[in-house]
Amino acid sequence: MDSSLFKKDILTASQFTKKDVERVVAVTRSMRDIVDKDGSTDILKGNIMTALFYEPSSRTFGSFVAAMQRLGGGFIPLQGVVYSSVAKGESLPDTVRTFASFSDCIVLRHPQVGAAVTAADATAKPVINAGDGPGEHPTQALLDFFTIMDHFGSVDGLTITLVGDLLNGRTVHSLITLLSLFSPKAIHLVSPEVLKMTRDHLEGPKKSGIKVIEHEALDDVLGETDVLYATRVQKERFTDLDVYEKVKYSYIITPDIMKKSKKTAILMHPFPRLGEIDGAVDADPRALYLRAQIPNGMYVRMALLALVLKEDISV
Ligand code: ASP
């Protein structure tokens, strides 16, 4: 039953079928139940995950490590290790081959688009893309998707608005692809002209016939938005910091914006936030980033690790 992700690399949201996503959602619910009831399980006892992080990360790194431990497995943490050969300029394939021989899977974060594919080519062990530069972040998209599903029961018929740095924000690249497997009513893309999503990421919705509309003003779409997904302007991807300064606060979600939003809408953000959401919004019951999205990250990563490393997890 679980064979479709067993021993597979998780490199891009476009590799998933609708059935894969539905299975991840179901297993994520079971993982949440296990954690609520018992705290942990030994499904992955004896397995080891290498967390190979070349770019800063706190939530993704921490949630993968916590996920592996709650499944009874161990991990090798490689994050900002200054004195390792990684810092001496060793090639990515050599590092991946080395740690693949010590462990059962590699979770990779890297500044270059396509690095996860390079890593996957270097080893037969599963590689999970935990963010490749401004490319993709499929595990974040799965947790975002799970959060929407868990709240609304379905994404079908919803109007989803992605706002902010749609050019460099990898989470929205993966999320729009996952959403395209289902039937949202419309996807609104709100960004300054210089931060528009590149056309390749619009292939998914185009193929599925989902209406995608681009805007510069958030006010245009607030009244019809069910899911408002805000993103950080990705300073680290700018070559000209003057441009960053001009666009960094293009959209700030304030209590006033929430007043103009639907009573039933939800507000999401992949975090970290750097001023895109006013702290006064946190107490709004529609703000799901702290109370749902972040905890869901660990449950989704438990589900993914279990599905990738175990043939039949029977949960
Ligand atoms: N944490 C997310 C990522 O790694 C979002 C962000 O950094 O803005 O892509």
Side-chain angles (χ1 to χ4, degrees), residues 29 52 71 74 94 117 120 129 190 199 216 224 227 235 264 270 294 303:
R29 289 210 169 101
L52 180 56
L71 293 167
D94 280 357
V117 175
N129 181 3
V190 181
R199 303 303 93 175
E216 282 200 43
E224 57 188 280
V227 177
K235 183 177 184 181
T264 52
I294 291 176

Side-chain angles (χ1 to χ4, degrees), residues 60 109 137 140 170-171 232 234 236 270-272:
T60 304
R109 169 163 295 188
H137 198 343
Q140 174 77 41
R170 55 194 171 200
T171 72
R232 173 178 72 90
Q234 312 274 301
E236 64 275 33
F271 267 47

Side-chain angles (χ1 to χ4, degrees), residues 55-57 59-60 109 130-131 133 136-137 140 168-171 229 231-234 236-237 269-273:
E55 259 195 345
S57 168
R59 262 157 301 275
T60 304
R109 169 163 295 188
E136 283 217 44
H137 198 343
Q140 174 77 41
N168 302 300
R170 55 194 171 200
T171 72
Y229 188 104
T231 63
R232 173 178 72 90
V233 177
Q234 312 274 301
E236 64 275 33
R237 312 290 176 215
H269 190 299
F271 267 47
R273 61 174 157 183

